[in-house]
Amino acid sequence: MGKAGTEGKAARTTAQIEADIERTRKQLAVNLDELAMRVHPSTVAAQTRAKMLASVEQKAGRAYVAASGAVEQLKAQFTDADGRPRRERVVPAALVGVGVLLLIASARSKRKRG
């Protein structure tokens, strides 16, 4: 039996070994540069900002969908199948709205006086 690990391998020259070491050094330098970029504060901040923006956009999208659904449901309460207003529901709602506005205006005028 031959020496362990050297069977089937031709003897390498010093130049080959030095070339392998140089290639390894260059690859290590590239890897270290890449790691330095990944952990650089500006890179980390940019990645964090991008994640936060994506999260906000996702939540805003969900809120928009929910609001659209609510508006459609509300619209369905005040319009018929043809899209015409349902007077029996619109008139009472409008009267309630006017009443609320009058109450608010009355409360503001009392604050100004007293």
Side-chain angles (χ1 to χ4, degrees):
M1 285 205 178
K3 294 181 184 176
T6 59
E7 286 184 27
K9 289 186 177 179
R12 295 181 348 167
T13 65
T14 304
Q16 289 172 327
I17 293 171
E18 288 174 352
D20 285 346
I21 291 171
E22 187 59 31
R23 272 194 306 277
T24 303
R25 281 184 183 156
K26 286 181 181 178
Q27 186 58 47
L28 182 58
V30 168
N31 290 345
L32 287 174
D33 289 343
E34 184 179 333
L35 283 173
M37 280 298 291
R38 285 184 185 179
V39 298
H40 192 275
S42 64
T43 304
V44 173
Q47 289 173 343
T48 302
R49 181 174 179 249
K51 286 179 184 177
M52 288 175 55
L53 285 174
S55 176
V56 167
E57 287 176 0
Q58 183 182 29
K59 288 178 184 178
R62 287 180 183 164
Y64 177 78
V65 169
S68 292
V71 167
E72 286 301 317
Q73 287 178 349
L74 187 62
K75 183 180 174 184
Q77 295 295 318
F78 292 98
T79 58
D80 61 14
D82 296 328
R84 291 181 300 226
R86 297 168 95 183
R87 290 183 187 212
E88 70 274 7
R89 292 196 178 177
V90 173
V91 172
L95 291 174
V96 168
V98 169
V100 169
L101 288 174
L102 289 173
L103 284 173
I104 292 171
S106 173
R108 283 189 176 178
S109 68
K110 285 182 183 179
R111 268 195 233 160
K112 287 182 181 180
R113 284 189 234 162

XYZ file of all heavy atoms in Angstrom:
848
model
N 0.831 -1.180 0.000
C 0.000 0.000 0.000
C 0.870 1.235 0.000
O 1.905 1.271 0.641
C -0.858 0.032 1.242
C -1.990 -0.895 1.224
S -3.187 -0.199 2.332
C -4.417 -1.388 2.122
N 0.357 2.291 -0.688
C 1.099 3.548 -0.770
C 0.711 4.461 0.375
O -0.031 4.106 1.275
N 1.208 5.672 0.324
C 0.901 6.651 1.357
C -0.554 7.099 1.214
O -1.038 7.292 0.115
C 1.825 7.864 1.246
C 3.262 7.534 1.540
C 4.088 8.794 1.432
C 5.541 8.462 1.637
N 6.393 9.616 1.462
N -1.211 7.266 2.345
C -2.623 7.674 2.339
C -2.766 9.058 1.728
O -2.020 9.971 2.062
C -3.183 7.672 3.754
N -3.706 9.245 0.827
C -3.988 10.549 0.244
C -3.136 10.867 -0.971
O -3.393 11.826 -1.660
N -2.103 10.111 -1.245
C -1.262 10.419 -2.397
C -1.405 9.388 -3.496
O -0.816 9.536 -4.541
C 0.225 10.517 -1.990
O 0.630 9.268 -1.417
C 0.438 11.661 -1.020
N -2.185 8.336 -3.263
C -2.382 7.331 -4.299
C -3.125 7.931 -5.470
O -4.091 8.643 -5.300
C -3.189 6.149 -3.755
C -2.405 5.258 -2.838
C -3.214 4.063 -2.403
O -4.124 3.655 -3.141
O -2.946 3.547 -1.323
N -2.704 7.687 -6.661
C -3.394 8.134 -7.864
C -3.141 9.606 -8.178
O -3.660 10.115 -9.148
N -2.381 10.318 -7.381
C -2.092 11.720 -7.646
C -0.652 11.838 -8.095
O 0.250 11.270 -7.484
C -2.284 12.584 -6.393
C -3.716 12.760 -5.973
C -3.783 13.740 -4.831
C -5.227 13.999 -4.440
N -5.322 14.929 -3.323
N -0.495 12.588 -9.153
C 0.866 12.837 -9.620
C 1.485 13.890 -8.715
O 0.798 14.728 -8.148
C 0.845 13.316 -11.073
N 2.766 13.853 -8.569
C 3.458 14.841 -7.741
C 3.290 16.211 -8.369
O 3.430 16.380 -9.592
C 4.928 14.480 -7.627
N 2.946 17.197 -7.536
C 2.734 18.558 -8.047
C 4.027 19.335 -7.910
O 4.778 19.170 -6.948
C 1.618 19.252 -7.257
C 0.300 18.578 -7.468
C -0.862 19.189 -6.767
N -0.556 20.186 -5.755
C -1.424 21.004 -5.206
N -2.676 20.928 -5.567
N -1.077 21.870 -4.294
N 4.172 20.236 -8.837
C 5.381 21.063 -8.806
C 5.142 22.253 -7.886
O 4.007 22.582 -7.534
C 5.737 21.587 -10.207
O 4.690 22.465 -10.622
C 5.889 20.447 -11.205
N 6.215 22.902 -7.531
C 6.135 24.096 -6.691
C 5.313 25.173 -7.382
O 4.503 25.858 -6.752
C 7.556 24.620 -6.394
O 8.315 23.567 -5.804
C 7.519 25.786 -5.442
N 5.475 25.318 -8.659
C 4.726 26.329 -9.415
C 3.225 26.039 -9.381
O 2.411 26.963 -9.257
C 5.214 26.393 -10.858
N 2.856 24.778 -9.475
C 1.447 24.415 -9.408
C 0.862 24.711 -8.026
O -0.259 25.225 -7.912
C 1.264 22.926 -9.749
C 1.506 22.592 -11.202
C 1.507 21.087 -11.441
O 1.926 20.315 -10.575
N 1.071 20.692 -12.636
N 1.634 24.386 -7.004
C 1.175 24.653 -5.645
C 1.024 26.156 -5.424
O 0.018 26.617 -4.871
C 2.149 24.035 -4.615
C 2.095 22.512 -4.720
C 1.803 24.499 -3.199
C 3.164 21.796 -3.919
N 2.000 26.935 -5.895
C 1.925 28.396 -5.754
C 0.734 28.968 -6.528
O 0.052 29.887 -6.059
C 3.232 29.042 -6.202
C 4.381 28.805 -5.236
C 5.709 29.331 -5.752
O 5.782 29.751 -6.934
O 6.667 29.320 -4.972
N 0.457 28.411 -7.697
C -0.686 28.866 -8.493
C -1.994 28.553 -7.769
O -2.922 29.381 -7.745
C -0.662 28.211 -9.876
N -2.081 27.360 -7.156
C -3.276 27.011 -6.384
C -3.462 27.955 -5.197
O -4.572 28.399 -4.905
C -3.187 25.565 -5.878
C -3.433 24.530 -6.965
O -3.927 24.924 -8.048
O -3.138 23.345 -6.731
N -2.376 28.262 -4.532
C -2.438 29.182 -3.388
C -2.902 30.557 -3.854
O -3.749 31.190 -3.212
C -1.066 29.262 -2.677
C -0.770 27.927 -1.970
C -1.031 30.423 -1.686
C 0.631 27.815 -1.413
N -2.397 31.039 -4.971
C -2.788 32.357 -5.492
C -4.267 32.379 -5.872
O -4.982 33.337 -5.578
C -1.919 32.740 -6.697
C -2.134 34.134 -7.205
C -1.877 35.211 -6.157
O -1.030 35.037 -5.266
O -2.567 36.257 -6.228
N -4.746 31.298 -6.524
C -6.175 31.213 -6.867
C -7.033 31.225 -5.594
O -8.051 31.894 -5.530
C -6.467 29.934 -7.663
C -6.304 30.071 -9.155
C -6.936 28.891 -9.902
N -6.466 27.577 -9.460
C -5.345 26.985 -9.875
N -4.571 27.597 -10.760
N -4.996 25.815 -9.433
N -6.601 30.484 -4.598
C -7.332 30.432 -3.331
C -7.350 31.800 -2.663
O -8.383 32.237 -2.139
C -6.699 29.381 -2.399
O -6.700 28.115 -3.054
C -7.479 29.270 -1.100
N -6.232 32.514 -2.673
C -6.157 33.859 -2.100
C -7.121 34.814 -2.815
O -7.832 35.602 -2.176
C -4.739 34.418 -2.188
C -3.810 33.903 -1.140
C -2.468 34.577 -1.249
N -1.554 34.014 -0.279
C -0.251 34.022 -0.387
N 0.317 34.587 -1.436
N 0.508 33.487 0.542
N -7.135 34.746 -4.142
C -8.029 35.626 -4.909
C -9.490 35.320 -4.604
O -10.295 36.231 -4.420
C -7.752 35.504 -6.409
C -6.470 36.174 -6.851
C -6.254 36.037 -8.333
C -4.947 36.710 -8.738
N -4.680 36.548 -10.157
N -9.839 34.039 -4.533
C -11.212 33.656 -4.226
C -11.578 34.093 -2.816
O -12.684 34.576 -2.575
C -11.409 32.142 -4.392
C -12.851 31.705 -4.238
C -13.784 32.384 -5.229
O -13.493 32.463 -6.411
N -14.898 32.899 -4.749
N -10.639 33.957 -1.887
C -10.878 34.397 -0.516
C -11.096 35.912 -0.467
O -11.992 36.392 0.236
C -9.707 33.998 0.377
C -9.821 34.341 1.858
C -11.051 33.702 2.469
C -8.569 33.908 2.602
N -10.320 36.663 -1.232
C -10.480 38.119 -1.280
C -11.857 38.491 -1.828
O -12.523 39.391 -1.307
C -9.379 38.750 -2.125
N -12.297 37.800 -2.862
C -13.631 38.050 -3.430
C -14.702 37.744 -2.391
O -15.639 38.532 -2.191
C -13.839 37.201 -4.712
C -15.296 37.224 -5.147
C -12.937 37.695 -5.828
N -14.556 36.620 -1.697
C -15.534 36.243 -0.669
C -15.563 37.264 0.466
O -16.638 37.631 0.949
C -15.230 34.857 -0.117
C -15.509 33.755 -1.120
O -16.174 33.973 -2.122
N -14.980 32.576 -0.867
N -14.392 37.729 0.895
C -14.340 38.722 1.970
C -14.959 40.043 1.534
O -15.672 40.687 2.318
C -12.893 38.939 2.417
C -12.292 37.796 3.241
C -10.814 38.059 3.507
C -13.050 37.606 4.539
N -14.723 40.455 0.287
C -15.344 41.680 -0.219
C -16.866 41.558 -0.233
O -17.587 42.482 0.143
C -14.836 42.014 -1.627
C -13.393 42.492 -1.642
O -12.884 42.879 -0.568
O -12.788 42.496 -2.734
N -17.339 40.400 -0.662
C -18.785 40.168 -0.702
C -19.379 40.201 0.705
O -20.421 40.812 0.942
C -19.079 38.825 -1.364
C -20.550 38.544 -1.526
C -20.819 37.213 -2.206
O -19.971 36.749 -2.989
O -21.884 36.640 -1.920
N -18.709 39.565 1.648
C -19.182 39.583 3.031
C -19.171 40.995 3.599
O -20.102 41.392 4.302
C -18.316 38.670 3.901
C -18.590 37.170 3.774
C -17.551 36.372 4.549
C -19.976 36.834 4.271
N -18.129 41.752 3.293
C -18.048 43.132 3.779
C -19.209 43.959 3.241
O -19.790 44.777 3.966
C -16.710 43.752 3.372
N -19.573 43.749 1.986
C -20.719 44.473 1.413
C -22.026 44.053 2.087
O -22.883 44.884 2.348
C -20.818 44.213 -0.095
C -19.871 45.031 -0.921
S -20.172 46.795 -0.762
C -21.727 46.943 -1.586
N -22.166 42.774 2.371
C -23.407 42.277 2.986
C -23.620 42.834 4.390
O -24.746 43.064 4.789
C -23.395 40.754 3.066
C -23.630 40.071 1.758
C -23.696 38.579 1.963
N -23.795 37.880 0.706
C -23.842 36.575 0.595
N -23.792 35.817 1.676
N -23.935 36.007 -0.573
N -22.543 43.010 5.147
C -22.689 43.450 6.533
C -22.421 44.946 6.704
O -22.495 45.455 7.814
C -21.771 42.647 7.493
C -22.151 41.183 7.479
C -20.303 42.831 7.167
N -22.156 45.648 5.613
C -21.916 47.091 5.704
C -23.202 47.765 6.189
O -24.303 47.418 5.745
C -21.504 47.647 4.338
C -20.971 49.028 4.411
N -21.782 50.131 4.390
C -19.705 49.490 4.522
C -21.046 51.212 4.476
N -19.777 50.857 4.565
N -23.098 48.723 7.103
C -24.309 49.362 7.652
C -25.255 49.931 6.593
O -26.472 49.811 6.735
C -23.741 50.475 8.536
C -22.390 49.984 8.939
C -21.882 49.207 7.763
N -24.724 50.519 5.545
C -25.620 51.078 4.525
C -26.370 49.974 3.778
O -27.544 50.142 3.428
C -24.840 51.951 3.537
O -23.904 51.177 2.825
N -25.722 48.845 3.571
C -26.391 47.720 2.916
C -27.487 47.155 3.819
O -28.603 46.898 3.372
C -25.383 46.612 2.569
O -24.346 47.160 1.761
C -26.039 45.464 1.838
N -27.155 46.974 5.089
C -28.138 46.449 6.042
C -29.316 47.418 6.152
O -30.479 46.998 6.148
C -27.482 46.203 7.416
C -28.523 45.825 8.452
C -26.420 45.116 7.316
N -29.035 48.718 6.219
C -30.101 49.714 6.312
C -30.978 49.688 5.066
O -32.207 49.765 5.165
C -29.504 51.106 6.515
N -30.362 49.582 3.904
C -31.136 49.544 2.660
C -32.019 48.298 2.599
O -33.182 48.377 2.178
C -30.194 49.588 1.459
N -31.487 47.176 3.026
C -32.284 45.945 3.025
C -33.443 46.045 4.019
O -34.565 45.635 3.714
C -31.410 44.736 3.366
C -30.442 44.361 2.272
C -29.475 43.276 2.696
O -29.300 43.003 3.878
N -28.838 42.652 1.718
N -33.167 46.612 5.182
C -34.214 46.776 6.190
C -35.290 47.716 5.674
O -36.489 47.454 5.826
C -33.619 47.323 7.499
O -32.602 46.401 7.945
C -34.673 47.467 8.572
N -34.865 48.808 5.046
C -35.823 49.773 4.490
C -36.691 49.108 3.420
O -37.910 49.297 3.382
C -35.068 50.962 3.897
C -35.975 52.012 3.336
C -35.173 53.249 2.886
N -36.057 54.230 2.334
C -36.100 54.571 1.058
N -35.264 54.021 0.199
N -36.945 55.467 0.624
N -36.062 48.328 2.549
C -36.815 47.646 1.492
C -37.838 46.674 2.080
O -38.972 46.597 1.603
C -35.851 46.908 0.555
N -37.443 45.948 3.131
C -38.375 45.011 3.770
C -39.539 45.758 4.414
O -40.691 45.330 4.320
C -37.653 44.172 4.819
C -36.749 43.109 4.243
C -36.038 42.339 5.338
C -35.049 41.345 4.751
N -34.298 40.651 5.810
N -39.235 46.889 5.065
C -40.290 47.670 5.700
C -41.249 48.240 4.666
O -42.468 48.204 4.848
C -39.676 48.788 6.542
C -39.019 48.287 7.813
S -38.171 49.564 8.758
C -39.440 50.765 8.990
N -40.704 48.763 3.561
C -41.563 49.306 2.509
C -42.457 48.218 1.920
O -43.642 48.446 1.670
C -40.721 49.953 1.414
C -40.109 51.308 1.747
C -39.170 51.768 0.628
C -41.180 52.340 1.990
N -41.896 47.047 1.714
C -42.690 45.935 1.173
C -43.809 45.568 2.142
O -44.947 45.322 1.729
C -41.794 44.730 0.905
N -43.497 45.561 3.430
C -44.510 45.243 4.433
C -45.614 46.298 4.457
O -46.799 45.964 4.513
C -43.852 45.147 5.814
O -44.809 44.928 6.811
N -45.219 47.567 4.397
C -46.209 48.645 4.396
C -47.079 48.573 3.145
O -48.303 48.724 3.214
C -45.513 50.024 4.511
C -46.465 51.158 4.201
C -44.907 50.196 5.902
N -46.450 48.333 1.999
C -47.212 48.226 0.752
C -48.195 47.059 0.807
O -49.333 47.168 0.349
C -46.269 48.069 -0.434
C -45.535 49.345 -0.790
C -44.530 49.155 -1.903
O -44.383 48.026 -2.425
O -43.876 50.150 -2.260
N -47.761 45.957 1.389
C -48.638 44.794 1.499
C -49.829 45.107 2.400
O -50.973 44.803 2.064
C -47.852 43.608 2.058
C -48.659 42.329 2.156
C -47.845 41.192 2.750
O -46.937 41.408 3.533
N -48.194 39.976 2.379
N -49.559 45.753 3.535
C -50.648 46.101 4.451
C -51.570 47.139 3.829
O -52.797 47.069 3.998
C -50.074 46.601 5.774
C -49.460 45.480 6.578
C -48.836 45.967 7.863
C -48.167 44.790 8.560
N -47.500 45.203 9.788
N -51.016 48.093 3.097
C -51.842 49.100 2.428
C -52.725 48.437 1.369
O -53.896 48.798 1.214
C -50.968 50.169 1.793
N -52.173 47.477 0.669
C -52.960 46.743 -0.329
C -54.118 45.995 0.308
O -55.243 46.018 -0.199
N -53.834 45.358 1.446
C -54.905 44.644 2.147
C -55.978 45.615 2.636
O -57.175 45.320 2.558
C -54.335 43.874 3.329
C -53.536 42.653 2.925
C -53.006 41.943 4.131
N -52.172 40.805 3.752
C -51.343 40.197 4.566
N -51.227 40.608 5.815
N -50.629 39.193 4.151
N -55.534 46.762 3.157
C -56.490 47.763 3.644
C -57.344 48.286 2.494
O -58.556 48.489 2.647
C -55.746 48.908 4.321
N -56.714 48.494 1.326
C -57.463 48.970 0.159
C -58.522 47.962 -0.259
O -59.664 48.330 -0.540
C -56.502 49.251 -1.001
C -57.208 49.667 -2.249
C -57.676 50.960 -2.391
C -57.442 48.769 -3.284
C -58.355 51.365 -3.532
C -58.123 49.156 -4.431
C -58.562 50.450 -4.548
O -59.236 50.831 -5.677
N -58.147 46.696 -0.276
C -59.103 45.654 -0.657
C -60.256 45.601 0.345
O -61.429 45.511 -0.046
C -58.400 44.278 -0.765
C -59.393 43.141 -0.886
C -57.443 44.270 -1.952
N -59.925 45.692 1.633
C -60.972 45.667 2.651
C -61.887 46.883 2.525
O -63.112 46.765 2.615
C -60.344 45.619 4.043
N -61.291 48.062 2.305
C -62.096 49.284 2.162
C -62.973 49.207 0.918
O -64.139 49.618 0.951
C -61.184 50.508 2.101
N -62.430 48.694 -0.173
C -63.224 48.559 -1.401
C -64.416 47.642 -1.176
O -65.526 47.931 -1.627
C -62.361 48.001 -2.533
O -61.385 48.928 -2.911
N -64.187 46.552 -0.457
C -65.277 45.635 -0.163
C -66.346 46.295 0.692
O -67.544 46.125 0.451
N -65.883 47.081 1.684
C -66.837 47.770 2.556
C -67.646 48.800 1.778
O -68.859 48.935 1.974
C -66.095 48.435 3.715
N -66.988 49.527 0.881
C -67.689 50.527 0.066
C -68.710 49.849 -0.840
O -69.836 50.332 -0.985
C -66.683 51.361 -0.766
C -67.385 52.170 -1.843
C -65.877 52.270 0.151
N -68.336 48.728 -1.412
C -69.268 47.997 -2.277
C -70.483 47.504 -1.489
O -71.604 47.559 -1.972
C -68.560 46.835 -2.974
C -67.632 47.271 -4.090
C -68.334 48.055 -5.184
O -69.448 47.665 -5.593
O -67.772 49.078 -5.615
N -70.234 47.020 -0.267
C -71.352 46.573 0.565
C -72.262 47.740 0.928
O -73.487 47.623 0.888
C -70.839 45.895 1.830
C -70.260 44.525 1.590
C -69.719 43.904 2.857
O -69.596 44.560 3.883
N -69.385 42.626 2.785
N -71.665 48.866 1.270
C -72.447 50.045 1.613
C -73.233 50.541 0.398
O -74.407 50.886 0.504
C -71.522 51.150 2.133
C -72.194 52.398 2.679
C -73.060 52.046 3.879
C -71.158 53.431 3.049
N -72.572 50.536 -0.749
C -73.238 50.968 -1.985
C -74.433 50.059 -2.288
O -75.492 50.534 -2.709
C -72.237 50.943 -3.136
C -72.788 51.428 -4.443
C -71.715 51.372 -5.519
C -72.283 51.709 -6.869
N -71.286 51.576 -7.935
N -74.250 48.768 -2.053
C -75.338 47.822 -2.314
C -76.540 48.089 -1.412
O -77.678 47.810 -1.795
C -74.840 46.389 -2.118
N -76.309 48.652 -0.231
C -77.407 48.973 0.678
C -78.248 50.148 0.167
O -79.426 50.258 0.499
C -76.862 49.310 2.070
C -76.177 48.156 2.770
C -77.149 47.040 3.090
O -78.277 47.282 3.515
N -76.711 45.806 2.871
N -77.618 51.038 -0.600
C -78.304 52.267 -1.020
C -78.639 52.319 -2.508
O -79.148 53.321 -2.991
C -77.459 53.487 -0.637
C -77.384 53.675 0.846
C -76.306 53.218 1.566
C -78.425 54.297 1.527
C -76.248 53.378 2.940
C -78.375 54.465 2.903
C -77.276 54.006 3.612
N -78.343 51.258 -3.256
C -78.702 51.215 -4.676
C -79.377 49.892 -4.986
O -79.142 48.881 -4.314
C -77.459 51.370 -5.587
O -76.528 50.332 -5.299
C -76.782 52.715 -5.401
N -80.182 49.917 -6.041
C -80.830 48.676 -6.448
C -79.943 47.947 -7.449
O -78.811 48.359 -7.710
C -82.234 48.944 -7.011
C -82.220 49.828 -8.250
O -81.144 50.027 -8.828
O -83.306 50.324 -8.617
N -80.437 46.864 -8.007
C -79.653 46.038 -8.930
C -79.230 46.804 -10.181
O -78.204 46.494 -10.791
C -80.443 44.796 -9.322
N -80.008 47.832 -10.560
C -79.677 48.620 -11.751
C -78.750 49.791 -11.440
O -78.393 50.551 -12.328
C -80.965 49.155 -12.396
C -81.853 48.023 -12.901
O -81.285 46.989 -13.319
O -83.086 48.180 -12.870
N -78.414 49.974 -10.167
C -77.528 51.061 -9.789
C -78.244 52.351 -9.446
O -77.605 53.374 -9.198
N -79.575 52.316 -9.428
C -80.354 53.524 -9.077
C -80.455 53.642 -7.554
O -80.535 52.626 -6.860
C -81.742 53.444 -9.691
C -81.718 53.567 -11.219
C -83.118 53.515 -11.748
N -83.712 52.211 -11.346
C -84.381 51.428 -12.154
N -84.620 51.796 -13.390
N -84.860 50.280 -11.740
N -80.476 54.857 -7.033
C -80.575 55.044 -5.577
C -81.904 54.507 -5.046
O -82.941 54.635 -5.678
C -80.506 56.553 -5.383
C -80.119 57.135 -6.687
C -80.340 56.119 -7.750
N -81.852 53.921 -3.861
C -83.053 53.434 -3.183
C -83.511 54.532 -2.233
O -82.933 54.738 -1.185
C -82.738 52.168 -2.408
C -82.295 51.034 -3.307
C -81.736 49.919 -2.488
N -82.778 48.932 -2.235
C -82.592 47.860 -1.481
N -81.437 47.652 -0.909
N -83.577 47.014 -1.305
N -84.551 55.248 -2.632
C -85.002 56.416 -1.865
C -85.381 56.068 -0.438
O -85.155 56.852 0.473
C -86.166 57.090 -2.572
C -85.735 57.771 -3.834
C -86.876 58.480 -4.480
N -86.426 58.970 -5.765
C -86.862 60.062 -6.320
N -87.786 60.770 -5.703
N -86.407 60.452 -7.474
N -85.941 54.896 -0.252
C -86.376 54.516 1.098
C -85.192 54.371 2.064
O -85.379 54.397 3.274
C -87.212 53.221 1.067
C -86.437 51.952 0.749
C -86.270 51.668 -0.746
O -86.628 52.512 -1.580
O -85.770 50.586 -1.056
N -83.977 54.248 1.535
C -82.781 54.164 2.393
C -81.931 55.420 2.317
O -81.288 55.782 3.298
C -81.944 52.951 1.993
C -82.649 51.656 2.319
C -81.725 50.516 2.289
N -82.446 49.285 2.660
C -81.889 48.119 2.668
N -80.629 47.985 2.341
N -82.587 47.069 3.019
N -81.913 56.085 1.173
C -81.068 57.268 0.999
C -81.591 58.445 1.807
O -80.830 59.144 2.485
C -80.943 57.642 -0.503
C -80.223 58.967 -0.671
C -80.221 56.540 -1.266
N -82.894 58.675 1.750
C -83.479 59.841 2.434
C -83.252 59.774 3.946
O -82.753 60.744 4.532
C -84.975 59.994 2.070
C -85.631 61.062 2.924
C -85.124 60.314 0.591
N -83.549 58.667 4.628
C -83.292 58.637 6.077
C -81.804 58.816 6.412
O -81.467 59.508 7.365
C -83.779 57.259 6.515
C -84.754 56.838 5.479
C -84.277 57.468 4.199
N -80.931 58.224 5.620
C -79.494 58.360 5.874
C -79.058 59.808 5.694
O -78.255 60.328 6.482
C -78.702 57.449 4.945
N -79.574 60.481 4.672
C -79.238 61.885 4.444
C -79.747 62.747 5.598
O -79.044 63.667 6.055
C -79.814 62.363 3.124
N -80.935 62.473 6.078
C -81.481 63.237 7.216
C -80.644 63.045 8.476
O -80.387 64.002 9.208
C -82.941 62.845 7.468
C -83.940 63.284 6.392
C -85.322 62.714 6.688
C -83.983 64.800 6.289
N -80.196 61.832 8.719
C -79.320 61.574 9.866
C -78.019 62.345 9.704
O -77.528 62.972 10.648
C -79.055 60.058 10.038
C -77.935 59.804 11.033
C -80.323 59.348 10.473
N -77.451 62.337 8.506
C -76.217 63.076 8.245
C -76.381 64.564 8.487
O -75.523 65.204 9.110
N -77.477 65.132 8.014
C -77.744 66.564 8.227
C -77.902 66.842 9.713
O -77.388 67.838 10.238
C -78.996 67.011 7.426
C -79.443 68.398 7.847
C -78.704 66.962 5.941
N -78.568 65.969 10.436
C -78.741 66.137 11.879
C -77.403 66.130 12.618
O -77.160 66.948 13.506
N -76.523 65.234 12.239
C -75.189 65.168 12.857
C -74.418 66.446 12.569
O -73.775 67.016 13.471
C -74.419 63.919 12.374
C -72.957 63.984 12.784
C -75.067 62.658 12.905
N -74.485 66.938 11.351
C -73.796 68.184 11.006
C -74.336 69.360 11.811
O -73.579 70.218 12.278
C -73.906 68.467 9.509
C -73.074 67.568 8.590
C -73.391 67.874 7.127
C -71.595 67.761 8.852
N -75.656 69.412 11.985
C -76.254 70.490 12.778
C -75.808 70.410 14.239
O -75.527 71.439 14.864
C -77.779 70.451 12.672
C -78.360 70.863 11.318
C -79.864 70.627 11.297
C -78.033 72.313 11.021
N -75.728 69.220 14.791
C -75.253 69.055 16.164
C -73.806 69.520 16.317
O -73.458 70.194 17.289
C -75.381 67.600 16.610
C -76.768 67.113 16.968
C -76.758 65.604 17.223
C -77.275 67.838 18.208
N -72.983 69.176 15.360
C -71.569 69.591 15.399
C -71.472 71.109 15.297
O -70.736 71.748 16.059
C -70.757 68.903 14.273
C -70.648 67.404 14.549
C -69.377 69.525 14.140
C -70.056 66.604 13.417
N -72.216 71.695 14.374
C -72.195 73.153 14.220
C -72.698 73.838 15.483
O -72.136 74.857 15.919
C -73.040 73.563 13.019
N -73.712 73.301 16.101
C -74.256 73.869 17.331
C -73.225 73.800 18.456
O -73.048 74.751 19.204
C -75.528 73.116 17.724
O -75.981 73.531 18.982
N -72.539 72.674 18.581
C -71.530 72.517 19.627
C -70.368 73.485 19.411
O -69.844 74.062 20.360
C -71.023 71.081 19.653
N -69.979 73.703 18.188
C -68.886 74.645 17.899
C -69.285 76.081 18.218
O -68.489 76.844 18.741
C -68.469 74.543 16.432
C -67.629 73.328 16.155
C -67.062 73.390 14.776
N -66.181 72.250 14.555
C -65.566 72.021 13.433
N -65.724 72.835 12.402
N -64.780 70.980 13.309
N -70.514 76.428 17.886
C -70.938 77.812 18.153
C -71.049 78.047 19.661
O -70.760 79.142 20.133
C -72.249 78.114 17.447
O -73.304 77.372 18.014
N -71.422 77.046 20.427
C -71.477 77.183 21.878
C -70.075 77.349 22.466
O -69.897 78.095 23.417
C -72.163 75.966 22.506
C -73.658 75.963 22.311
C -74.271 74.761 22.985
C -75.770 74.722 22.734
N -76.398 73.572 23.354
N -69.086 76.653 21.919
C -67.705 76.780 22.389
C -67.172 78.180 22.150
O -66.463 78.717 22.968
C -66.799 75.773 21.664
C -66.674 74.502 22.412
C -65.514 73.721 21.868
N -66.008 72.396 21.533
C -65.444 71.555 20.714
N -64.353 71.894 20.076
N -65.939 70.378 20.511
N -67.486 78.734 20.993
C -67.007 80.083 20.645
C -67.618 81.117 21.582
O -66.970 82.084 21.960
C -67.316 80.409 19.199
C -66.447 79.673 18.218
C -66.759 80.078 16.800
C -65.902 79.306 15.813
N -66.186 79.690 14.429
N -68.865 80.938 21.935
C -69.541 81.896 22.818
C -69.070 81.792 24.262
O -68.947 82.768 24.951
C -71.053 81.659 22.786
C -71.706 82.164 21.547
C -73.195 82.094 21.714
N -73.723 81.345 20.574
C -74.911 80.800 20.550
N -75.689 80.825 21.601
N -75.314 80.163 19.482
N -68.851 80.578 24.711
C -68.572 80.389 26.126
C -67.214 79.970 26.384
O -66.245 80.166 26.774
